[in-house]
Amino acid sequence: MGEEKDLRSSLLMELRRGTLVLSVLSQMEEPKYGYSLVQSLEEKGIDIDPNTLYPLLRRLEKQGLLKSQWETGGSKPRKYYHRTDYGTQIYEELKVQWEELSESMGKLLREGKT
């Protein structure tokens, strides 16, 4: 039973991991710092652990999809991220692919249910 639970958990994590880039890019039109992004995603039903988010943000920045800027005027310094023009282009392409894939997967999953 434990092995089945581990397998189920592993497969679910793998499935979710593939959606996180698109989820994050979808929220980055306006600058956000890490914790505000976690909150924004959770409000929309996407749970993301900060230990997953911060490395992802750094990777997306290194790939040129996000830009960051430190804001030091508040009570504590915060690093804000937002999409670059290139990031917006990639986001739009991924969004189209997601919609097509989602439609195809919906058809597959509905097979045999008629």
Side-chain angles (χ1 to χ4, degrees):
M1 187 69 161
E3 287 180 22
E4 287 178 15
K5 185 177 180 183
D6 289 345
L7 175 60
R8 189 175 297 118
S9 184
S10 175
L11 290 171
L12 182 56
M13 186 176 6
E14 192 175 320
L15 181 63
R16 289 187 70 245
R17 189 177 297 134
T19 66
L20 291 180
V21 169
L22 184 58
S23 298
V24 167
L25 288 176
S26 77
Q27 300 302 295
M28 302 307 290
E29 187 171 356
E30 299 295 324
K32 286 190 174 55
Y33 60 97
Y35 184 70
S36 69
L37 180 56
V38 168
Q39 289 179 311
S40 176
L41 289 168
E42 285 182 351
E43 287 171 5
K44 295 169 176 81
I46 305 294
D47 291 326
I48 186 167
D49 186 281
N51 293 323
T52 300
L53 177 64
Y54 290 106
L56 176 58
L57 289 172
R58 287 190 296 272
R59 181 169 57 90
L60 294 175
E61 183 175 25
K62 187 176 180 181
Q63 293 170 333
L65 303 177
L66 297 179
K67 246 188 339 188
S68 68
Q69 182 174 349
W70 281 98
E71 176 61 51
T72 57
S75 60
K76 63 180 186 176
R78 290 189 170 130
K79 191 173 190 179
Y80 283 80
Y81 292 87
H82 65 94
R83 276 193 325 244
T84 61
D85 290 340
Y86 179 58
T88 298
Q89 176 187 340
I90 294 296
Y91 166 65
E92 293 297 333
E93 291 173 16
L94 289 175
K95 191 167 64 166
V96 168
Q97 290 298 311
W98 173 262
E99 290 167 350
E100 290 174 3
L101 181 60
S102 181
E103 184 178 328
S104 296
M105 286 302 298
K107 289 176 186 175
L108 284 173
L109 297 175
R110 286 189 296 275
E111 279 184 359
K113 288 189 174 188
T114 57

